[in-house]
Amino acid sequence: MDGLTSEHLSNSHPILSCILVKLFNLMVLCGHIPAEFGLSYTVPLPKIADCRTKSMSCSDFRGIAISSILSKVFEYCILDRYKNFLTSSDHQFGFKKKIGCPHAIHTVKNIVNRFVDGGGTVSVCALDLSKAFDKVNHNALFIKLMKRRIPIELLNMLICWLDNCFTCVKWDGIFSAFFKLNFGVRQGSVLSPFLFAVYIDDLIDNRYNGYSFFVILYADDILLITQSVSLLQDLLLTCELELSWLDMHINIKKSCCLRIGPRYDVICNNIVTSNGQALPWVDELRYLGIFIVAARTFRCSLDNAKRAYYRAVNAVFGKVGRFASEEVVMQLVSHKCLPILLYGCEACGLRSSDVRSLDFTVNRFLMKLFKTTNIQVIEDCVGFFNFELPSSLLVKRQKNFQLKYYSCENLLCKLFQEM
């Protein structure tokens, strides 16, 4: 809102750092935050991919708050000083350094394989929270922080900050009137992800978690993994008790259950919420961008990734394919389209048939590009243009991912490394 960007700070006079240090220390000492630090404007971004042909409602948008660059610098300073009070469980994979979606996916695969190798059938439940970031109760958050015995100056600053948050909506270059945020944490803020992780951290009961069930979180994406249907029902009700205390509710339309193991196709009783709504048993569920399939072992469906790849590669070819050289088109495909096709594949443990299907998907486009159906010609072109197919890329990606996975500090990752 003040027109300042990060370039203003990085190219400013060195004395600015000294001035900001004195300002931030005074803010910590007084427990007061300037009113301008609570101002932001919200940019609505569509959640769904096809936002041009489908009718959309307010729930189909995600609001990203753009706040003052000076307030973000102050938030980084708070994290540097008080990071020990804002930690979360190792079952929470979101908002942590050197840990991403592939780590959570690979951990889920290891857990499922561990139970299935023992002869059991795993029951998995994916829970979606309705407007999780936007419904954080500030008083409940302060109680969670006080239980961690955070310093009084940090608590006073957060109370002052969250009680004076105002935002407006920017749409097509037009700003709305300002309105106050009485609850929720701003998506786009530096501190918000850590405060949200603290807010829902008690959802994970470390006393029993890991013996016969696991609760895996990535931000507000919750995955319940149990060895039996009855245990999954009990675990769901237990999670609902904590969520109801946090003023959060499960989105029944986006939550579902799935079974993996020898008896995956056996009809089971419905998993019912505390208010009597049943979660459907499905053959495929989406988790962190990948699609897990109900089968005898952990498997992922690649159909959606292939469709997204075809959309991306046809968009590139439709724009530049007629006048750009083949080398340019292949470079664009390699850097813009292949990452869409291979997203999360290094953590899924693909079968050889899946890898061959990925190569076939890419070769089909190359046949269109070079106007031939001779696979030998395509192989020669791949070699001449130094173009790597998914089979060769996956070998490198899997090797790099394994090194990252087993070298991170997460206890679950270390557990499966020892096993």
Side-chain angles (χ1 to χ4, degrees):
M1 300 301 298
D2 52 17
L4 295 178
T5 63
S6 57
E7 286 79 7
H8 289 95
L9 301 187
S10 59
N11 298 319
S12 63
H13 194 278
I15 199 174
L16 179 63
S17 301
C18 302
I19 297 174
L20 291 180
V21 166
K22 292 185 178 181
L23 172 64
F24 293 164
N25 282 329
L26 285 174
M27 292 164 58
V28 173
L29 183 64
C30 301
H32 180 77
I33 303 296
E36 287 74 12
F37 277 24
L39 295 180
S40 65
Y41 68 89
T42 301
V43 179
L45 300 179
K47 293 182 181 179
I48 60 178
D50 188 6
C51 58
R52 295 181 179 271
T53 60
K54 295 182 179 179
S55 59
M56 302 178 67
S57 62
C58 294
S59 59
D60 295 323
F61 289 88
R62 176 181 290 107
I64 304 299
I66 309 299
S67 54
S68 169
I69 189 66
L70 293 180
S71 69
K72 290 188 176 182
V73 174
F74 182 56
E75 289 180 83
Y76 279 116
C77 295
I78 291 177
L79 285 179
D80 184 67
R81 176 175 291 188
Y82 301 105
K83 58 184 176 182
N84 293 332
F85 298 96
L86 300 175
T87 58
S88 56
S89 170
D90 286 319
H91 291 253
Q92 170 67 265
F93 285 83
F95 321 126
K96 294 182 179 179
K97 290 183 178 180
K98 300 180 180 180
I99 294 180
C101 293
H103 291 76
I105 296 170
H106 193 66
T107 300
V108 171
K109 179 180 77 71
N110 288 334
I111 293 171
V112 171
N113 289 339
R114 173 193 171 192
F115 288 148
V116 172
D117 291 343
T121 300
V122 181
S123 299
V124 181
C125 180
L127 300 180
D128 182 82
L129 302 182
S130 300
K131 302 293 183 182
F133 276 79
D134 300 329
K135 292 186 177 180
V136 172
N137 188 302
H138 292 169
N139 294 324
L141 175 61
F142 297 148
I143 292 174
K144 297 281 187 180
L145 293 172
M146 285 188 285
K147 287 182 178 180
R148 295 180 173 230
R149 302 182 182 274
I150 67 170
I152 186 63
E153 62 269 16
L154 175 58
L155 181 62
N156 289 334
M157 285 190 298
L158 292 176
I159 292 175
C160 178
W161 207 333
L162 294 178
D163 285 346
N164 294 279
C165 282
F166 293 85
T167 189
C168 63
V169 178
K170 180 182 179 182
W171 183 266
D172 197 21
I174 305 299
F175 292 88
S176 71
F178 278 94
F179 55 91
K180 187 176 181 180
L181 299 175
N182 294 316
F183 48 85
V185 290
R186 297 175 296 179
Q187 297 192 51
S189 172
V190 176
L191 275 179
S192 294
F194 297 91
L195 295 177
F196 181 80
V198 171
Y199 188 67
I200 65 171
D201 195 50
D202 289 341
L203 191 66
I204 305 167
D205 192 341
N206 291 318
R207 292 175 299 171
Y208 307 106
N209 198 6
Y211 290 96
S212 56
F213 67 87
F214 282 86
V215 180
I216 304 297
L217 285 81
Y218 194 96
D220 58 339
D221 290 320
I222 304 172
L223 205 66
L224 310 180
I225 307 174
T226 65
Q227 288 183 300
S228 65
V229 177
S230 60
L231 184 57
L232 182 62
Q233 176 67 69
D234 296 338
L235 183 59
L236 174 63
L237 296 178
T238 303
C239 291
E240 274 195 294
L241 287 176
E242 176 66 19
L243 291 174
S244 63
W245 189 88
L246 297 175
D247 286 341
M248 289 194 173
H249 304 283
I250 297 175
N251 188 351
I252 303 298
K253 295 181 179 179
K254 295 183 179 180
S255 302
C256 57
C257 302
L258 175 142
R259 280 169 62 83
I260 303 174
R263 304 179 72 245
Y264 77 95
D265 53 350
V266 175
I267 299 176
C268 301
N269 292 331
N270 288 329
I271 302 299
V272 184
T273 61
S274 57
N275 56 4
Q277 294 180 295
L279 301 182
W281 291 99
V282 297
D283 296 328
E284 180 181 283
L285 66 81
R286 180 176 180 176
Y287 179 66
L288 300 181
I290 68 163
F291 291 82
I292 304 175
V293 180
R296 293 185 177 273
T297 58
F298 185 91
R299 286 181 50 199
C300 294
S301 173
L302 301 175
D303 295 338
N304 292 277
K306 293 176 183 178
R307 283 194 290 266
Y309 166 79
Y310 280 129
R311 285 195 299 266
V313 79
N314 286 328
V316 170
F317 188 73
K319 292 289 184 180
V320 301
R322 294 182 178 180
F323 55 86
S325 64
E326 289 81 0
E327 184 177 8
V328 172
V329 175
M330 294 184 72
Q331 285 292 325
L332 289 173
V333 171
S334 176
H335 290 87
K336 300 296 183 182
C337 304
L338 282 183
I340 298 175
L341 180 64
L342 300 180
Y343 169 77
C345 290
E346 67 272 15
C348 297
L350 299 181
R351 301 173 298 175
S352 57
S353 58
D354 295 329
V355 177
R356 289 195 298 269
S357 69
L358 293 177
D359 283 345
F360 177 78
T361 302
V362 176
N363 285 330
R364 287 291 298 173
F365 169 74
L366 296 180
M367 291 178 182
K368 177 180 179 181
L369 176 63
F370 294 105
K371 300 178 181 179
T372 180
T373 57
N374 191 328
I375 191 62
Q376 186 60 47
V377 174
I378 299 300
E379 292 177 356
D380 294 338
C381 293
V382 167
F384 293 151
F385 287 98
N386 197 23
F387 184 84
E388 291 187 280
L389 292 174
S391 56
S392 60
L393 287 174
L394 276 176
V395 174
K396 299 178 182 178
R397 290 171 66 116
Q398 288 174 348
K399 183 178 180 180
N400 293 332
F401 172 71
Q402 292 290 338
L403 293 175
K404 293 179 181 178
Y405 184 82
Y406 293 120
S407 63
C408 68
E409 297 298 324
N410 188 281
L411 293 180
L412 281 178
C413 299
K414 290 185 176 180
L415 171 65
F416 289 106
Q417 179 187 13
E418 295 173 358
M419 294 176 59

